[in-house]
Amino acid sequence: MGSMVKTAVGDFLITSMRLTTTPFSKLITTIISNSLNLHTQQLLPLFLISTLTSSLIITLFGYISNFLGGAAFNPATTLAFYAAGFTRTTLLFLSIRFIAQSVGAVAAVKTILYIAPKNLIIKAPSLEVDIHIGAIVEGLSYIGGKFTGPSMNPANAYGWAYVQNWDHKWELYYVYWVGPLIGATLAGKVYAFMFVNSTPSLLKKKKKKKKVKKA
């Protein structure tokens, strides 16, 4: 029970911290590019700075996640690891983690709206097509972004929906939860089938080859 509470608290903390920093990635990129006297037309240097900034933030939160005992800020990745067999837990505990991550997202959105300049706030997920089409294109987030306001993180979508009083709508859960979670489950199962489940057989083949050589 104690470990469950610790993990849930960790999920809340890292979700709130990670999503709060999202708008400021753009600010950091702008500060660095201005200090280097780069112009908006110089796309490659700006792209490299933005990529490096995002990579450093992700790496930092990777360390924070490990410090918090494997906490995660995305229900989809949490479910993907479960589907791939990397975590041994129950569906009840997964549900508790999803709730903790969603509450953390709400805290993050409220913090962003309170402290972040308006020009840094990224557009919240919004459904602008039929919900069935939205559920499909959400799985292809970068392609369908203009239709759904791309969000591969269900907790992030819930945070914005809660603040916008959209959290009671069925469309929210159908498009931004069902779609990504099904995709995450399939991804985890495919990974387990292609890599995890094949590993023991590969090891056995290597051992057999060593035995043949010795003989």
Side-chain angles (χ1 to χ4, degrees):
M1 185 65 180
S3 61
M4 291 176 60
V5 173
K6 179 182 178 181
T7 303
V9 171
D11 284 347
F12 167 81
L13 291 174
I14 198 166
T15 301
S16 57
M17 289 187 294
R18 176 68 184 92
L19 297 183
T20 300
T21 62
T22 301
F24 297 98
S25 298
K26 180 180 178 182
L27 177 62
I28 296 172
T29 300
T30 302
I31 292 174
I32 296 175
S33 59
N34 288 340
S35 65
L36 297 176
N37 294 320
L38 297 175
H39 303 287
T40 54
Q41 292 82 2
Q42 296 174 286
L43 296 180
L44 181 59
L46 290 174
F47 172 76
L48 293 175
I49 292 172
S50 177
T51 302
L52 179 61
T53 301
S54 299
S55 299
L56 290 174
I57 292 175
I58 291 172
T59 301
L60 172 63
F61 277 96
Y63 285 112
I64 296 175
S65 174
N66 290 333
F67 177 76
L68 293 174
F73 56 86
N74 190 335
T77 56
T78 303
L79 185 59
F81 276 93
Y82 172 78
F86 290 118
T87 56
R88 303 295 179 185
T89 185
T90 63
L91 292 177
L92 174 61
F93 185 38
L94 282 179
S95 300
I96 294 173
R97 295 191 67 181
F98 292 170
I99 293 172
Q101 291 162 348
S102 298
V103 175
V106 172
V109 172
K110 285 182 174 291
T111 302
I112 289 171
L113 294 176
Y114 184 74
I115 66 174
K118 290 185 178 180
N119 63 317
L120 294 180
I121 298 176
I122 300 172
K123 181 183 176 184
S126 58
L127 189 60
E128 298 176 10
V129 292
D130 176 79
I131 61 172
H132 302 298
I133 297 175
I136 295 172
V137 299
E138 185 61 14
L140 303 171
S141 182
Y142 296 105
I143 297 174
K146 66 179 181 179
F147 302 114
T148 59
S151 177
M152 291 186 290
N153 187 336
N156 178 53
Y158 179 82
W160 287 103
Y162 180 86
V163 172
Q164 296 173 340
N165 196 29
W166 192 44
D167 58 303
H168 60 286
K169 299 288 186 179
W170 157 245
E171 291 91 335
L172 165 71
Y173 301 99
Y174 181 56
V175 175
Y176 297 103
W177 280 84
V178 176
L181 292 182
I182 289 177
T185 302
L186 292 175
K189 292 296 184 182
V190 169
Y191 181 88
F193 176 77
M194 294 182 64
F195 299 103
V196 179
N197 293 337
S198 62
T199 301
S201 59
L202 290 174
L203 291 174
K204 287 180 181 178
K205 288 181 179 179
K206 288 182 179 180
K207 288 181 179 179
K208 287 181 179 179
K209 288 182 178 179
K210 288 182 179 179
K211 289 181 179 179
V212 170
K213 288 181 180 179
K214 288 181 179 180

